[in-house]
Each structure stands twice: as C-alpha cells, then as structure tokens.
Amino acid sequence: MADEFIKGLGILTGSGLAWMVLASWYRTSSFESTKQLIEPLGSGAPEGIFNLMGVILMDVFLWFALLGALTFWVLIPAGRQVMAALQERQNA
C-alpha cells in the first residue's frame, strides 16, 4: 500500500508543479489579480507552436495529476479489496 501512495503522491506533485508553472505563464495576466492560475487564456488561440504545446500540456498535466492520484489512491486499492473478497468467497 505504501508504494501506491508514493506513486500517487509523485504523480500529483510532479504533474501539479508542471501545471502550476504553465498556468502561471499562460493564465496569469497580473499578480494583483485574485484569479491567478485560473484566468481564461485571453482572446484567440495562442500564437506559435510552442505556445500551443504549452497550453495543451497545461491541461494534460492537470488531468494526469488528478486521475493519476485517484488511480493509485482509490482505484487500485479498491480493486485489490474486490479481488481479495472474491478470492475469499471462492475459497469458502
């Protein structure tokens, strides 16, 4: 169980840090704003291939952080509990 926890934590912190860096570049217009990191992107599509890749990766990192932590903290342990219960039923 400890290895699943640390894998989920590593995914959450690594992807979360990458998301925060990209969101601070692309979604923060002013540091006096109360909507830092969650502002809309602005008018139009980002110009240039690297800006477009950054915006796409920002969303990828956010979802990877959330779904990765959920997978290792909830889904895998729940699956193991289900498999153990099925195995116990089969042996009884």
Side-chain angles (χ1 to χ4, degrees):
M1 290 297 275
D3 59 334
E4 279 91 11
F5 176 76
I6 200 66
K7 287 175 189 174
L9 184 64
I11 287 173
L12 183 67
T13 57
S15 296
L17 176 65
W19 173 80
M20 284 196 322
V21 167
L22 290 172
S24 68
W25 285 343
Y26 292 107
R27 293 194 182 261
T28 302
S29 62
S30 170
F31 288 107
E32 287 97 23
S33 172
T34 59
K35 293 185 175 186
Q36 293 178 12
L37 304 178
I38 58 171
E39 286 181 358
L41 285 174
S43 61
E47 291 186 22
I49 188 72
F50 292 114
N51 286 333
L52 182 62
M53 286 174 34
V55 169
I56 291 170
L57 279 175
M58 179 175 45
D59 291 336
V60 168
F61 282 130
L62 175 66
W63 285 108
F64 182 66
L66 296 175
L67 294 177
L70 177 74
T71 299
F72 280 103
W73 290 346
V74 176
L75 297 179
I76 290 175
R80 288 189 178 171
Q81 290 289 326
V82 167
M83 293 302 291
L86 289 175
Q87 187 73 10
E88 186 179 309
R89 268 190 183 176
Q90 191 177 26
N91 290 337

